[in-house]
Amino acid sequence: MTKIQETALKIQNSVSEVFRGKAEITDMLLSALFAGGHVLLEDVPGTGKTVLAKALAASVGLPFSRIQCTPDLMPSDITGSSVWLPSSGEFQFRPGPVMSSIVLVDELNRATPRTQSALLEAMAEKQVSADGKVHKLEPPFFVIATENPVESEGTFPLPEAQKDRFMLALSIGYPEEADEALIITAQRGLVHPVEKVKAVTTKEEILAAMEEVSVIHVDEVVLSYLISLSAATRKDERILAGISPRGSIALYKAAQAYAAIHGRNYVTPEDIKQLALPAFRKRLILKPESVLRGYTTDGIITELTGQIPIPAYKAHI
């Protein structure tokens, strides 16, 4: 078992104590973390989005902060601001909650576009600009945002630039009946089980895992398959804007991490196909007439990945 696989397994086992029956979702969340990306969790209320984020943060033992988005939330409430100190006669910068390692942005679509944009620089460039100064964010820096897709009152659609900053967009879905029974019985106590989760890894192990992911081999055959999937979205008549190179890069890096946590030092075409939907679903823009005809981004991506043959590949690593 590789070092990164050991690290991932410890986190998976810890998270599974409170987030049950969705091991694949945890795998993809870790893939984004180890690849240096960010994740958007999109699903109806009560499916465990916040529990998953809090369980991961507690398991990795990194500084954690939570931003509860509301329409009156200001950009400075996220990035921080300077405060006048009469005792010293000068301004002092007070860091905002975004200046942490694991940042949970709950109900992102309840924040105004202006406030949403405050996250863009941090997510894309790992830095915060405030009061004319640039504050670097130390790695690892991982944003987990949640969104309720069915409620529209009091919400603001995420701009395309914001959605493009998320490496993966995951939909949790409802648990199986047996798992739901375990979830219910686990919460009979006065304290939520997630509050009992302890750190099982260290910052150094996370950084080592990120370093290991960056050298995972991607063969030309696998890269060609990835590019063919991206190109197919640009040629489809139902799609207004297909996958950009940034989207291809997101899939490439996520696949490297996904392969690593499964004990391989190379990416397979199956890894690419597995991650294509969460990597692409928020990056496609359908034509208005396609939406009216009932097409969805998930449906089109699933269709395209089914049409493009998976190339034969045998690793020689």
Side-chain angles (χ1 to χ4, degrees), residues 125-189:
E125 302 177 43
K126 306 294 193 296
Q127 66 180 35
V128 169
S129 296
D131 299 328
K133 293 184 179 180
V134 175
H135 305 269
K136 294 292 184 180
L137 300 173
E138 291 186 8
F141 173 65
F142 185 46
V143 173
I144 306 173
T146 70
E147 180 182 32
N148 175 6
V150 298
E151 189 174 7
S152 57
E153 186 176 351
T155 62
F156 304 87
L158 301 185
E160 298 305 322
Q162 179 74 65
K163 290 187 286 187
D164 201 35
R165 293 305 189 274
F166 291 103
M167 179 172 281
L168 300 176
L170 305 177
S171 179
I172 294 175
Y174 293 111
E176 298 293 333
E177 291 182 7
D179 292 318
E180 187 168 4
L182 291 173
I183 292 170
I184 294 171
T185 55
Q187 296 192 36
R188 289 177 296 186

Side-chain angles (χ1 to χ4, degrees), residues 1 22 24-25 27 53 68 77 80 82 110 142 145 152-153 163 206 230 247-248 304:
M1 183 179 291
K22 299 287 183 178
E24 187 62 26
I25 295 294
D27 283 356
Q68 185 63 54
D77 295 328
S82 293
R110 288 196 176 278
F142 185 46
S152 57
E153 186 176 351
K163 290 187 286 187
I206 299 297
S230 298
S248 299
L304 293 177

Side-chain angles (χ1 to χ4, degrees), residues 16-300:
S16 67
E17 290 296 316
V18 293
F19 184 75
R20 301 180 182 275
K22 299 287 183 178
E24 187 62 26
I25 295 294
T26 305
D27 283 356
M28 292 186 180
L29 195 69
L30 288 177
S31 296
L33 170 62
F34 292 156
H38 309 286
V39 166
L40 177 64
L41 297 176
E42 184 181 53
D43 220 316
V44 296
T47 51
K49 300 185 294 296
T50 303
V51 169
L52 173 58
K54 292 177 71 174
L56 175 70
S59 299
V60 297
L62 295 172
F64 171 72
S65 65
R66 176 174 178 171
I67 302 170
Q68 185 63 54
C69 292
T70 56
D72 60 350
L73 190 73
M74 299 296 291
S76 59
D77 295 328
I78 292 176
T79 60
S81 59
S82 293
V83 178
W84 175 256
L85 299 179
S87 58
S88 61
E90 59 183 16
F91 283 97
Q92 183 181 75
F93 180 71
R94 297 286 177 86
V98 77
M99 300 185 72
S100 188
S101 293
I102 308 290
V103 181
L104 169 60
V105 185
D106 216 0
E107 297 188 277
L108 176 59
N109 56 334
R110 288 196 176 278
T112 62
R114 180 187 177 193
T115 303
Q116 289 177 19
S117 66
L119 286 169
L120 282 176
E121 181 183 17
M123 293 173 66
E125 302 177 43
K126 306 294 193 296
Q127 66 180 35
V128 169
S129 296
D131 299 328
K133 293 184 179 180
V134 175
H135 305 269
K136 294 292 184 180
L137 300 173
E138 291 186 8
F141 173 65
F142 185 46
V143 173
I144 306 173
T146 70
E147 180 182 32
N148 175 6
V150 298
E151 189 174 7
S152 57
E153 186 176 351
T155 62
F156 304 87
L158 301 185
E160 298 305 322
Q162 179 74 65
K163 290 187 286 187
D164 201 35
R165 293 305 189 274
F166 291 103
M167 179 172 281
L168 300 176
L170 305 177
S171 179
I172 294 175
Y174 293 111
E176 298 293 333
E177 291 182 7
D179 292 318
E180 187 168 4
L182 291 173
I183 292 170
I184 294 171
T185 55
Q187 296 192 36
R188 289 177 296 186
L190 297 177
V191 179
H192 194 287
V194 76
E195 303 299 331
K196 301 177 183 179
V197 177
K198 304 297 183 182
V200 295
T201 187
T202 64
K203 177 180 179 179
E204 289 70 30
E205 287 180 306
I206 299 297
L207 291 175
M210 295 174 72
E211 190 69 31
E212 188 175 335
V213 160
S214 67
V215 296
I216 295 296
H217 178 70
V218 182
D219 193 83
E220 289 184 6
V221 172
V222 179
L223 178 58
S224 178
Y225 175 60
L226 185 158
I227 293 174
S228 67
L229 289 176
S230 298
T233 66
R234 301 164 193 163
K235 300 172 184 176
D236 196 295
E237 293 295 328
R238 298 165 294 183
I239 298 173
L240 180 64
I243 297 301
S244 68
R246 182 185 288 148
S248 299
I249 293 170
L251 177 53
Y252 182 98
K253 291 184 174 182
Q256 285 182 299
Y258 189 79
I261 66 177
H262 285 86
R264 286 180 276 106
N265 62 351
Y266 59 90
V267 176
T268 67
E270 288 75 16
D271 295 331
I272 300 296
K273 183 176 181 179
Q274 179 75 9
L275 292 166
L277 180 58
F280 286 175
R281 63 164 36 120
K282 285 297 180 180
R283 292 182 164 92
L284 289 185
I285 304 176
L286 303 188
K287 292 180 178 178
E289 56 267 32
S290 299
V291 177
L292 291 174
R293 290 172 182 167
Y295 289 109
T296 63
T297 53
D298 280 22
I300 291 177

